[in-house]
Amino acid sequence: QKEVEQDPGPLSVPEGAIVSLNCTYSNSAFQYFMWYRQYSRKGPELLMYTYSSGNKEDGRFTAQVDKSSKYISLFIRDSQPSDSATYLCAMSAIYGGSQGNLIFGKGTKLSVKP
Amino acid sequence: NAGVTQTPKFQVLKTGQSMTLQCAQDMNHEYMSWYRQDPGMGLRLIHYSVGAGITDQGEVPNGYNVSRSTTEDFPLRLLSAAPSQTSVYFCASRSYVFYEQYFGPGTRLTVT
């Protein structure tokens, strides 16, 4: 089993839709959870960052972490064509051999149609 | 404030050639790392450094060397390029205290 699982999509939605992106993980030591957005032929850009469980909101974006289920989500409200990108989840442990290193999901490719 | 910069943007090598990918950051971050990104494989950690003079291996270190003589720079060396090293390479940095990593724009490498 991979440490981080993410559905690669592609996911296609109409403009204005609510988008839900998800990742599951297996390592109980993960405490830091991040979402990156990557446009084609660009570097990953940090979008959201949460520590431990709970929700975090930033504009149209909401990140949720459910540590009991080992499940994280990113919601995008009122999606726009400019949101079309690949979204990568990433997480890091605070103890253990890989402490401090980010483990990435493979990314979900999102397309928002006008 | 340039953040994380990488050079070159593109490179084509022949099998067996060597080269160095440059990475620099101006945020005074202690932690720097190198990833490769391949289709269907996601981002995989090659090497990382927690400070000047300290480096360690990640998930896919074979065929690559690193050194960290200053806080700002973290070059990645390919000793003898192989077609399997065709990939997009990203450098990233973060402070030692906070876990958010910031990425450079990438180097697209083709080995023929």
Side-chain angles (χ1 to χ4, degrees):
Chain A
Q1 183 190 7
K2 294 281 186 187
E3 276 196 293
V4 180
E5 301 273 9
Q6 183 176 10
D7 186 337
L11 182 62
S12 183
V13 301
E15 183 175 353
I18 296 175
V19 175
S20 172
L21 304 166
N22 311 293
C23 288
T24 59
Y25 64 94
S26 59
N27 189 345
S28 299
F30 288 148
Q31 293 278 6
Y32 289 90
F33 303 93
M34 290 157 227
W35 286 95
Y36 285 84
R37 178 175 61 195
Q38 187 175 24
Y39 291 114
S40 180
R41 304 179 83 86
K42 300 288 187 184
E45 169 195 8
L46 182 63
L47 202 56
M48 298 287 283
Y49 162 65
T50 53
Y51 172 70
S52 195
S53 283
N55 293 358
K56 186 173 184 178
E57 189 173 318
D58 184 2
R60 297 184 295 111
F61 298 90
T62 300
Q64 286 186 353
V65 175
D66 181 350
K67 291 191 69 184
S68 62
S69 302
K70 296 191 177 68
Y71 188 87
I72 70 170
S73 301
L74 178 71
F75 297 96
I76 307 174
R77 291 183 297 281
D78 187 24
S79 56
Q80 303 294 309
S82 59
D83 295 328
S84 298
T86 296
Y87 289 80
L88 303 156
C89 64
M91 42 201 83
S92 184
I94 60 170
Y95 60 86
S98 61
Q99 174 194 354
N101 293 332
L102 278 182
I103 309 299
F104 283 86
K106 292 184 178 180
T108 300
K109 188 169 185 177
L110 171 67
S111 178
V112 181
K113 303 295 186 187
Chain B
N1 198 345
V4 180
T5 57
Q6 292 183 239
T7 56
K9 286 187 169 52
F10 303 95
Q11 184 70 50
V12 178
L13 289 178
K14 293 189 187 309
T15 297
Q17 287 184 317
S18 63
M19 79 159 295
T20 300
L21 280 63
Q22 301 292 344
C23 173
Q25 52 92 10
D26 61 1
M27 297 174 281
N28 205 30
H29 285 167
E30 297 89 348
Y31 181 101
M32 297 185 73
S33 53
W34 277 101
Y35 295 85
R36 60 178 289 173
Q37 188 174 39
D38 303 291
M41 301 295 289
L43 280 158
R44 293 182 291 169
L45 183 65
I46 305 172
H47 284 286
Y48 65 98
S49 168
V50 298
I54 307 169
T55 63
D56 207 345
Q57 297 180 349
E59 181 185 353
V60 288
N62 292 341
Y64 307 95
N65 270 3
V66 292
S67 60
R68 183 98 178 269
S69 56
T70 67
T71 300
E72 295 78 20
D73 301 297
F74 190 42
L76 178 73
R77 281 182 286 279
L78 280 70
L79 305 174
S80 178
S84 61
Q85 293 178 305
T86 293
S87 187
V88 182
Y89 291 85
F90 291 102
C91 180
S93 74
R94 67 169 176 88
S95 74
Y96 197 70
V97 175
F98 300 106
Y99 281 61
E100 314 99 279
Q101 286 199 38
Y102 297 91
F103 282 80
T107 294
R108 194 168 292 268
L109 176 68
T110 301
V111 182
T112 61

